[in-house]
Amino acid sequence: MSDDSSTSTTSTSTSSTCHPNTELDITPSPTILSVSTPLELEKGNHAGDARNLISIDIAKYGYDDWNNVHSGLTSHENSSEHIQSSSTFLNRSKLKNRIDKGLQLQIQNEMNYWRNVLQRVVAVVKKLGSRGLPFRGKNEQFGSNKNGNFMMCLELIAEFDPFMSNHLATYGNPGRGKTSYLSSTICEEFISLIAKKVLNVIIDEVNRCKYFSIVVDSTPDISHVDELSFVIRYVKREIQEDTPADIERFLKFIPNVGHKAIDMLNAVTGTLEEFGLNLQK
């Protein structure tokens, strides 16, 4: 009796699976991938162990700690699981038999193209900055004799560089909202990034010195905003033939300090603390 029942059940199951007119039940399993939210991890429910995330319905809760989303993303990007996954993805991307090989090649060519553009832009920014020359002119139009030193240098490069010549011909005056990496916006961004790098080098040199002195002076700028210029002088230990022993470097402008002694003192001590310079030296 049990054998017949088993045979009947098997036959029915096979029939419902293979018969073309039979409607199959494809309702997904109620089991849902469950993980703990960062908020619950912070409360210590799972002792911060990301490998033991259980019993929290992600479809119901999701990620609800949006006030700390930056720290959450940073923690994820630095996790060993993410690093391992990214490494695996890059290794698989190098395979020649990928189905999206053409797409990956197109992406790589696009990256190389814009990287070559940025290399030339950075070179111009570094040269103009090292000479203390102004960057911008009265307009931002290639072909104009009033577009400033930045665009003029790019035009000069384009006269001898076919790559830059083609780029200017294609993206030279695109207008707002179009990517060219030739506008004053990208120029100022590179100026800011390079300035931070130079400032870090100066601070490192000062910290290696035994003593340093400061020079401050208050003066209004072109918009009549009173600014305190902060300059530092020190003796560099690693003396080179073309480098003077005593060096004077400008660090920053401090706006709206005031002319009282206590205001200037607070500005000076605050700036020294900002740059991590020891007042005792």
Side-chain angles (χ1 to χ4, degrees), residues 234-253:
Y234 58 96
V235 177
K236 189 175 181 179
R237 289 186 175 182
E238 299 84 359
I239 305 300
Q240 300 176 359
E241 295 181 359
D242 57 345
T243 303
D246 57 328
I247 300 176
E248 185 174 290
R249 300 296 190 203
F250 166 80
L251 295 186
K252 68 178 298 185
F253 283 117

Side-chain angles (χ1 to χ4, degrees), residues 9 22-23 28-29 43 48 53 92 98 110 121 127 147 193 196 216 227 245 255 262 268 280:
T9 303
T22 303
E23 295 184 0
S29 172
K43 293 179 180 179
L53 303 179
R92 290 178 178 177
R98 286 184 51 165
E110 190 80 4
V121 171
K127 287 299 180 182
N147 55 15
L193 294 173
K196 290 180 181 179
V216 293
E227 294 181 327
I262 187 63
V268 169
Q280 301 299 322

